[in-house]
Amino acid sequence: MELNMTLNGLELWKATGGFANEPHVHDDWYQLTLPVRGQCHLVQERHAYPLTAGIGIIAHPQTEHYFEIGSDSAVIVIKFRKPPLGSFEGAELSGGRAEFRPTQTFDPAEISSLFRGWNSILLDDVPEILQVQETEMAIETYLKRMLTGQENGKKTVNPGTFIDPHLQRVLDYIHSAYTGPMDIDSMAMVAHQSRYHFMRSFKALTGTTPYQYLLNLRVEEASRRLRHTTDSVTTISYELGFSSVSQFYRAFQRVYVMTPMEYRNHV
C-alpha cells in the first residue's frame, strides 16, 4: 500500500507493485477497485476477475473479496459507506441497499490525475475545512458519474446571464469575510440551495470552486500588501487566513509564478 486518505464516509488508497491482501468482507462499505497500470487478479465471491487498466470492479457490503497485483502494476481503491450524493438512477435497490453492476469502465489517466490532486490537498499541513469539503464532494461527484455512466460534460455560462440574488449574497459574504474560516454548508444556506446544487451553480457562475475563489481573493490582497506595506510574509500569511506560511507560498506561486519575496523585490 502506497497511500491512504480518509474522509467522512470515504477512504482512498493506492497499492503498487507486489501488493496482495487476504479474503475479507466490509460490513457496511462499498469498495471500488480501479487498476490504473498493469493487471490485477481479483476474486470476489469465489469468482475470478482478471482486471486490466480501465476495467474496475465494485464489491458491495458483505461481499468477500481480495486481490493481488504484480510488480509493474498499480491499483486505486475507493471505499464509501453509502451511494454518493444519495440515490442513483443507474442503481437498483435490494433490501434498501443500492446495487451496481460488478464491473465498471473508467479512464486510468483521469483517476490517477484526480487522485494526485486529492492527495496533495489532504496531505497539506493544515487543510482548511472548506478545502476538505470540496475534495470530499469532488470524489463523490466522480463516483456518481462513473457508477451511473454520466458524461463529464462542462457547462458554459453566458457572462450576461442573470445572477441569482442569493448567489450574489454568497459572493458578498465571501468578499466581506474571506480572511476567516468558511464552510460549504454555511454558503449553501445563504444561497438557499443544497450543498451539491450550490457547488454546481457557484462554479457555473464564477468558473471556479468556492475555495479557489476564496484563495484568489487572499492572494490578490497579499499582492497589494506586498507592494504597499512592509509587513512580513508571515504576518500577511496569517492575517489573511492562510493555515501556514507554506500554504501561502504555494497559493501565491500558482498565481504569480514567483515567491512572495520575489514578487516584492520585483515590483
Side-chain angles (χ1 to χ4, degrees):
M1 187 185 304
E2 179 180 282
L3 216 44
N4 188 23
M5 296 180 280
T6 302
L7 292 167
N8 181 29
L10 287 166
E11 287 187 9
L12 294 87
W13 53 279
K14 184 177 182 180
T16 56
F19 178 85
N21 58 8
E22 298 294 328
H24 62 283
V25 171
H26 304 300
D27 289 336
D28 57 354
W29 288 84
Y30 294 81
Q31 175 173 310
L32 190 58
T33 303
L34 307 173
V36 294
R37 187 176 69 247
Q39 295 184 330
C40 170
H41 178 74
L42 186 145
V43 176
Q44 184 164 294
E45 293 293 280
R46 300 181 182 177
H47 183 82
Y49 295 87
L51 304 175
T52 57
I55 304 296
I57 191 167
I58 189 166
H60 291 76
Q62 302 175 15
T63 300
E64 184 180 84
H65 59 280
Y66 65 95
F67 72 86
E68 60 180 305
I69 57 176
S71 59
D72 59 346
S73 301
V75 167
I76 290 174
V77 172
I78 305 177
K79 293 169 57 181
F80 55 96
R81 286 190 181 278
K82 59 183 179 180
L85 313 190
S87 60
F88 286 131
E89 295 85 352
E92 298 180 357
L93 292 179
S94 175
R97 187 183 73 187
E99 294 285 342
F100 304 98
R101 65 181 185 276
T103 56
Q104 304 285 335
T105 59
F106 66 98
D107 181 349
E110 179 191 22
I111 185 58
S112 295
S113 176
L114 290 172
F115 185 87
R116 286 193 297 271
W118 298 335
N119 178 60
S120 66
I121 290 170
L122 297 176
L123 293 184
D124 199 351
D125 299 334
V126 187
E128 297 184 49
I129 184 172
L130 181 59
Q131 194 177 20
V132 173
Q133 288 176 331
E134 285 190 5
T135 303
E136 178 184 274
M137 293 178 69
I139 296 168
E140 291 180 343
T141 300
Y142 174 81
L143 286 172
K144 181 178 181 181
R145 174 162 58 84
M146 176 194 292
L147 296 174
T148 59
Q150 295 178 354
E151 295 296 324
N152 187 23
K154 294 184 179 180
K155 298 181 180 179
T156 57
V157 179
N158 183 341
T161 301
F162 171 75
I163 299 179
D164 185 310
H166 296 305
L167 281 177
Q168 183 60 57
R169 286 175 57 199
V170 174
L171 294 178
D172 294 341
Y173 166 58
I174 295 175
H175 278 261
S176 67
Y178 65 88
T179 61
M182 293 188 175
D183 64 89
I184 289 174
D185 294 320
S186 297
M187 294 182 188
M189 187 177 299
V190 173
H192 292 194
Q193 297 175 349
S194 71
R195 63 191 338 234
Y196 296 103
H197 184 196
F198 166 69
M199 285 293 291
R200 290 192 298 270
S201 57
F202 188 95
K203 193 166 186 178
L205 175 64
T206 66
T208 188
T209 68
Y211 179 71
Q212 286 302 321
Y213 191 90
L214 176 78
L215 216 55
N216 288 339
L217 287 178
R218 291 176 177 174
V219 169
E220 182 181 350
E221 174 60 16
S223 69
R224 189 194 68 79
R225 294 193 187 188
L226 287 167
R227 292 194 309 271
H228 300 298
T229 75
T230 58
D231 293 345
S232 70
V233 169
T234 300
T235 298
I236 293 173
S237 170
Y238 285 107
E239 287 187 351
L240 291 182
F242 289 97
S243 59
S244 65
V245 174
S246 61
Q247 186 207 30
F248 172 45
Y249 265 75
R250 287 193 298 272
F252 195 91
Q253 286 182 286
R254 276 196 294 267
V255 176
Y256 288 99
V257 201
M258 62 179 74
T259 68
M261 288 306 300
E262 288 170 342
Y263 177 86
R264 170 170 272 170
N265 294 332
H266 181 74
V267 298

